[in-house]
Amino acid sequence: MKRKLLWLGLPSALVLIIAVLGALIVREIRVTSVVNSVQSVKLKTSKTASLTEIPSLQTNFTTNNLSGKSEQRFNQIGRNVSNSRFYGAYLGASDNKLRFSAFYGRSNVHAKAAFKMDTAFLMGNYQELLNNAMILKLVEQNKLDLTTKLSSYFPNEPLLSNYTVSDLLTNKFQLYISTDDNAKLRIDKYSTMSRLKLAAKQTKKNEKHMHIANSTIKAVLISNVTKTSYEKAFDQLILAKLKLSNTRLVSNTSDIATNDVKGYNYYVSSGYPTQRNLAPFDMVLFGSNQLRMPLIDVAVSYTKIFDNSYFSKKYNDVFYRSLKKFNLVNSNRKKQIYAFTSTESGQKVTVQYNAAKNNLVVVGENFPNKRLKTGILISQLTKILN
């Protein structure tokens, strides 16, 4: 019996130990192989993924998918940016693929937070651009008509009675709303057709308490037509349709997440620009400056809208007329170059998209970078992609 339990002259206990160790080694090799395979696929995917897929693949904001002279130029730009004490982040994309991204300084100094893929900037009047796009989407869905008088949707607003939806989009008029009346509107509540108490002009007496109402009117119109809250309509028409990941609307100035950017006023310490003094964010206006977006979501939304992936080309004329209000510096429709800048509370986001060459640069800043102009930086980064 004892001899039957021997194998190659070894005791049975030792045979058992060898067998167990062998099984563990084989299992470890298989697990390691699978892990390495998954990591390899992930690395490969992060280079070939679409912009929409990037947030699910990486959280860090440092990306370099360049090579050769393009990589050399990118690294040189990075050294110049660092030497200029630039604070902010930027990314570049071509053919809907992320080619590079980099950041300098902090997104939030107090929290010692670095810029990440989900770090959200205040987007200022980019919200109105998205409002315009949403209205055209509703027109395309036959839920709105550009020729319909606004009095059909706002029967209690006599100042709107002579204007159409198209007039609202293309800024044929400018009306005002008070801070108090604007504050009564909430993004999570259905906006009824009760009076907005619009005013035709500001006066010296009330100018500090009156704000341009056009973007607010658009947000209320969107809520009315969709018969839901503005926030829910925004989620359905923008977040879901454009497949954005970390974009949201804020309801008040204290609505701040850990991944949100804070803006800083210009300050110099020992001769160097320094992120120290917070820029105030004093007021949130319904439909106007409630938008927070990561730069990657800005890239995704901007390209899809200007590529007509969001609404049909037949609405392009009215859409481009709606953009004249924003003073799109360096834009050239004939060359299919579309540039946009938003500013809010010490934060600035600039986009330049060349639809003909299918390349895009987005720069986000949370400090007044006087030593390096945004236009110069964008021009240098664009050359890498051309």
Side-chain angles (χ1 to χ4, degrees):
M1 182 72 177
K2 190 173 182 180
R3 289 183 180 179
K4 291 181 180 180
L5 295 175
L6 297 179
W7 177 64
L8 296 178
L10 297 175
S12 58
L14 187 56
V15 171
L16 182 61
I17 291 172
I18 291 172
V20 171
L21 287 174
L24 288 174
I25 291 170
V26 170
R27 181 179 179 274
E28 183 66 24
I29 290 171
R30 287 176 178 172
V31 170
T32 302
S33 177
V34 170
V35 170
N36 288 339
S37 177
V38 170
Q39 289 176 341
S40 176
V41 169
K42 185 174 181 180
L43 181 62
K44 183 181 179 182
T45 305
S46 68
K47 290 185 177 182
T48 59
S50 67
L51 291 176
T52 307
E53 297 167 321
I54 290 295
S56 65
L57 295 171
Q58 66 181 74
T59 57
N60 64 298
F61 201 82
T62 303
T63 307
N64 184 348
N65 291 329
L66 303 168
S67 59
K69 291 184 178 180
S70 294
E71 185 175 19
Q72 292 174 14
R73 288 177 184 173
F74 176 69
N75 292 335
Q76 181 60 52
I77 290 171
R79 288 189 288 271
N80 294 339
V81 168
S82 180
N83 292 336
S84 300
R85 288 299 180 103
F86 174 94
Y87 295 108
Y90 51 77
L91 64 81
S94 60
D95 299 321
N96 198 33
K97 303 290 190 299
L98 183 64
R99 300 306 182 196
F100 59 78
S101 58
F103 69 91
Y104 301 85
R106 299 282 189 181
S107 61
N108 182 332
V109 173
H110 179 73
K112 297 181 180 180
F115 290 92
K116 296 184 178 180
M117 277 298 167
D118 64 355
T119 298
F121 282 81
L122 287 168
M123 289 303 299
N125 59 357
Y126 193 66
Q127 183 171 355
E128 186 167 4
L129 185 148
L130 294 184
N131 284 343
N132 294 348
M134 282 191 282
I135 288 173
L136 288 174
K137 188 66 177 177
L138 291 171
V139 171
E140 186 176 63
Q141 294 174 346
N142 296 316
K143 295 178 181 178
L144 261 178
D145 192 310
L146 289 171
T147 62
T148 301
K149 293 282 188 181
L150 290 172
S151 55
S152 299
Y153 307 104
F154 299 92
N156 299 319
E157 297 295 339
L159 292 176
L160 292 175
S161 60
N162 293 324
Y163 299 110
T164 65
V165 174
S166 178
D167 293 334
L168 175 62
L169 274 175
T170 55
N171 311 297
K172 291 291 180 64
F173 63 89
Q174 185 166 285
L175 299 176
Y176 298 86
I177 188 171
S178 72
T179 303
D180 290 341
D181 288 322
N182 186 287
K184 294 175 183 176
L185 299 165
R186 293 179 52 181
I187 59 173
D188 60 343
K189 299 292 183 182
Y190 170 58
S191 299
T192 62
M193 295 183 184
S194 58
R195 286 207 63 188
L196 299 176
K197 299 181 182 178
L198 299 172
K201 60 182 180 180
Q202 289 177 313
T203 65
K204 288 184 178 180
K205 187 176 181 180
N206 68 14
E207 63 182 356
K208 291 184 179 180
H209 309 288
M210 299 295 287
H211 313 277
I212 297 174
N214 291 41
S215 195
T216 299
I217 295 168
K218 292 171 185 177
V220 173
L221 176 63
I222 291 165
S223 177
N224 285 336
V225 171
T226 57
K227 295 180 172 57
T228 186
S229 70
Y230 173 63
E231 183 176 43
K232 189 169 288 186
F234 186 89
D235 289 350
Q236 294 170 350
L237 291 169
I238 294 296
L239 301 192
K241 295 287 185 183
L242 296 177
K243 297 181 179 178
L244 306 183
S245 14
N246 294 289
T247 293
R248 76 182 197 281
L249 299 171
V250 300
S251 55
N252 54 64
T253 56
S254 59
D255 187 353
I256 299 174
T258 55
N259 59 339
D260 285 346
V261 176
K262 286 193 174 183
Y264 296 87
N265 290 323
Y266 192 75
Y267 181 82
V268 176
S269 177
S270 301
Y272 294 103
T274 304
Q275 290 175 301
R276 176 173 170 176
N277 294 342
L278 274 174
F281 182 37
D282 296 328
M283 188 180 302
V284 168
L285 296 171
F286 177 84
S288 299
N289 67 339
Q290 301 170 292
L291 182 62
R292 275 196 178 271
M293 298 183 79
L295 297 187
I296 193 73
D297 277 4
V298 176
V300 169
S301 60
Y302 203 79
T303 53
K304 287 186 177 181
I305 289 171
F306 282 92
D307 279 345
N308 290 114
S309 299
Y310 186 62
F311 53 72
S312 170
K313 285 184 179 180
K314 68 180 180 180
Y315 301 112
N316 280 357
D317 283 340
V318 66
F319 179 65
Y320 291 126
R321 279 187 283 134
S322 79
L323 300 180
K324 289 183 179 180
K325 172 181 181 178
F326 301 113
N327 187 24
L328 302 185
V329 180
N330 297 325
S331 291
N332 188 322
R333 188 179 173 187
K334 288 184 178 179
K335 293 184 178 181
Q336 294 182 279
I337 297 174
Y338 310 106
F340 182 90
T341 298
S342 70
T343 56
E344 185 71 41
S345 184
Q347 300 174 45
K348 175 182 173 183
V349 176
T350 306
V351 190
Q352 183 165 296
Y353 178 47
N354 187 326
K357 295 183 178 180
N358 203 8
N359 63 45
L360 166 129
V361 172
V362 184
V363 177
E365 303 168 69
N366 62 339
F367 186 85
N369 293 301
K370 296 183 180 182
R371 296 187 177 187
L372 177 60
K373 299 297 183 183
T374 310
I376 294 174
L377 176 59
I378 287 180
S379 176
Q380 293 173 344
L381 294 172
T382 300
K383 288 178 181 178
I384 296 175
L385 300 170
N386 287 340

